[in-house]
Amino acid sequence: MKQLPKAQTDPFKQQFQGDVVLPDDANYDEVREIWNAMIDRRPALIARCKSADDVVQAVNFGRENELVVSIRGGGHNIAGNAVCDDGLMIDLSLMKRVQVDEKARRASVEPGCTLADLDAATQPYGLATPTGINSTTGVAGLTLGGGFGWISRKYGMTIDNLLSADVVTAEGKQIRATEMENPDLFWGLRGGGGNFGIVTNFEFQLHPVGDVLSGLIAFSFAEAKTVLTKFARFTETAPEELTVWMVTRKAPPLPFLPGEVHGKEIVILALCYVGNPAEGEKQIAPLRSFGTVLGEHVGVQPFAAWQQAFDPLLARGARNYWKSHNFTRLGDDTIDAIVEYAARLPSPHCEIFIGTIGGETTRAAPEAMAYSSRDAKYVMNVHGRWETAAEDAAVIAWSREFFDKTKPFASGGAYINFMTEEESDRITSAYGPAYQRLAELKRKYDPTNFFRMNQNIKPG
């Protein structure tokens, strides 16, 4: 592991207002740890920023000392881009302030916030913006890659609700990006990942979201083909207030499931209705006829509580490997492949999920933002998750095989937040028609590729 000389680190420590963590410090291992336990990298220095000025100082230090630089927000990215070996890790996780303007329905959010931090600030006002489904996810990385979740069909992707961003560039300058100010950068930030700078503040549009009808309905895996087929056809015409996702995995020991199915394959429909719960009950009633219901847990609860429902199954510390495709439609071939591979899950923690989007997420023009996959109505994540290194080969092979099996049925593009480190060959196709413009933008804002620990776009 690289050790920076004290002649370099001491002056930086003296001027930096945040916390500097070095490899010999007692909290070094704790601070460098991220969500995916497969990532075990050791930075030479960790700069824990507390303000935008700290970010400027950290960027300047990294550039002047020609260090590899990684940016940590929530540390949740599957590829592990938050942490680097032998370089500078700029840690934003201490920057967690959220300010809510209830009247304007806007929130100003610092880049260390998780989805839980954002919800905690906005939900007391009965407001929310579309984010993800795991409350420990970082707002920054989720947003820069696109962002979608339970209320996206109604209110769009996270980037559709981004109003402005304050950015520190590779030159250490602080600039603002909006539709009117540096609009080219604003276009690139909405889906272009961390390629163009470090966002020190996000401003989001908020929407009225209070209690929601939400929960899980579990079905026998013996009827998986039927359940998935009915799910696919139902979601093609469901109202935008209703989101239904499909998860197939081995049943965890949930209290509403009979003990005899614990540890066995099941199909789960996860649902969220944004609107009058009585109307929502009418809309979800057909779901129960899709097959033999093993159990259900559906009711009205605060949106923030539903946002945390999957946290226990997605806790940090496990080994993770994902593969993902977009789909415009779920046909029989795709459904058959899901059933085939869900029948031989290599770990009790593995799952295949289909996130249903569409609705408002499809209304922006493909060229309106860097995220161009506006035809995607379903996003599939092959979620390999396991506990020990001895299982690596089996789970990774299963994930790759299923990815290859379903590739012929997928649409173009990809969701970069689900892409692993090895998928650099997919970056051009992931961005599709936006890639060339992104490369030109990279040349303007980061011509030396200073920000390269990401799904990297080379300066064009």
Side-chain angles (χ1 to χ4, degrees), residues 28-48:
Y28 174 77
D29 285 333
E30 177 187 354
V31 174
R32 73 181 177 89
E33 183 183 75
I34 58 174
W35 179 79
N36 185 359
M38 289 193 76
I39 310 300
D40 184 23
R41 301 185 187 130
R42 305 182 70 85
L45 184 148
I46 303 173
R48 309 198 75 194

Side-chain angles (χ1 to χ4, degrees), residues 184 187-188 192 195-196 370 427-428 431-449 455-460:
D184 58 347
W187 175 89
N195 273 284
F196 309 109
I427 293 173
T428 302
Y431 286 115
Y435 184 82
Q436 187 55 45
R437 184 175 171 185
L438 285 165
E440 294 168 359
L441 197 66
K442 181 76 167 178
R443 184 176 68 243
K444 176 179 177 179
Y445 286 98
D446 186 17
T448 66
N449 205 14
Q455 297 296 349
N456 194 235
I457 299 164
K458 303 295 191 298

